[in-house]
Amino acid sequence: MDDIKSALEIAMEKVENLGEPTEEERLQWKYMPEGSKIAARYMGQDCNLTSELGNYDEKSRKYVIDGASEVLIRNIALPDSDVAKRKNKLAMDGLKEIKSDRVGLENIYSKIRRIFEHYLDTGTEQRKQAYMSLKSDFEAQVKQALQQQLGSAMGMQIDVEKQPQFQNEWRKRKSQLDSEYLNLLDELKQELADLP
């Protein structure tokens, strides 16, 4: 019975084996959250990113920039609304201010812009066709169900677009259509994160 350790005892042993944090880890823990806060304020258009970063010494600035980069990259999304487009521009402009590899950054941005253009052009048409196809299928199913129940569905008009089942199915289909774009965008966001 003495051999059995509690979860707390096991956790405490693991913590003891970790050792003391390095100076770099301490700086990271302290300054990355500060960078995240600065980027959040910047995205809310409540601060100047460059001047805020100027308040930190060389040693801590790297971690502040890392924290800010994470938030800015996370804010890049598919341009499915005007708000998303504005956030993308703001986040990408912010990354231009803090990333030192301008050529690498612009190469990734051109790939992101191509994804966005395709999403807005070809992708919009694909989503429209998928929506109309789904609507047509649902209308046929509803008419068939009404005919079976009432014997005749003549003259009955049902707006399938307002049906919860239709909305749920459309969300699933749209998610499937968007997933390819999201996967490509996630790869490019990882490349952005890896840039100095």
Side-chain angles (χ1 to χ4, degrees):
M1 213 51 166
D2 293 336
D3 299 8
I4 299 173
K5 296 181 181 179
S6 72
L8 177 63
E9 290 172 325
I10 293 170
M12 293 303 290
E13 284 178 11
K14 287 183 180 181
V15 168
E16 286 175 17
N17 291 335
L18 288 176
E20 285 294 311
T22 64
E23 177 67 21
E24 186 175 322
E25 288 172 329
R26 284 190 180 108
L27 288 170
Q28 187 177 13
W29 295 338
K30 180 176 181 180
Y31 291 108
M32 279 187 70
E34 289 186 32
S36 296
K37 290 175 190 171
I38 290 170
R41 285 198 329 267
Y42 168 80
M43 289 301 297
Q45 299 177 330
D46 194 28
C47 79
N48 180 313
L49 197 56
T50 307
S51 67
E52 288 285 330
L53 294 175
N55 295 332
Y56 295 91
D57 63 19
E58 198 63 40
K59 201 174 187 182
S60 58
R61 187 177 301 128
K62 174 194 179 316
Y63 301 105
V64 174
I65 288 173
D66 288 347
S69 291
E70 281 182 12
V71 170
L72 295 174
I73 291 168
R74 228 179 301 133
N75 274 281
I76 298 173
L78 292 176
D80 56 5
S81 68
D82 289 338
V83 171
K85 290 175 189 174
R86 282 193 298 275
K87 280 178 67 174
N88 287 340
K89 180 173 178 6
L90 190 60
M92 292 167 79
D93 287 347
L95 286 168
K96 279 183 187 176
E97 291 182 38
I98 62 177
K99 292 286 187 178
S100 58
D101 184 356
R102 302 261 187 240
V103 173
L105 188 66
E106 202 45 56
N107 286 336
I108 295 169
Y109 279 2
S110 67
K111 293 175 189 174
I112 289 174
R113 284 186 205 103
R114 279 197 300 271
I115 290 172
F116 287 173
E117 286 169 13
H118 193 277
Y119 178 81
L120 292 171
D121 296 337
T122 307
T124 299
E125 189 57 37
Q126 288 171 337
R127 287 186 299 280
K128 191 183 297 182
Q129 288 174 358
Y131 186 87
M132 295 310 289
S133 172
L134 180 65
K135 181 180 174 184
S136 172
D137 291 347
F138 256 80
E139 285 173 345
Q141 289 173 4
V142 167
K143 282 182 183 176
Q144 183 180 7
L146 285 174
Q147 259 182 334
Q148 288 175 349
Q149 288 179 353
L150 304 175
S152 173
M154 295 298 242
M156 292 190 82
Q157 287 292 334
I158 295 181
D159 188 358
V160 294
E161 293 172 296
K162 293 182 180 170
Q163 299 298 314
Q165 298 91 337
F166 176 84
Q167 293 296 325
N168 287 338
E169 188 59 34
W170 172 240
R171 274 193 290 278
K172 283 186 213 169
R173 292 236 180 125
K174 185 177 183 304
S175 177
Q176 289 170 347
L177 291 169
D178 288 353
S179 68
E180 188 175 329
Y181 294 102
L182 290 170
N183 289 338
L184 290 170
L185 186 58
D186 285 344
E187 288 174 19
L188 292 172
K189 287 165 79 170
Q190 184 56 54
E191 287 181 35
L192 283 174
D194 294 340
L195 278 181

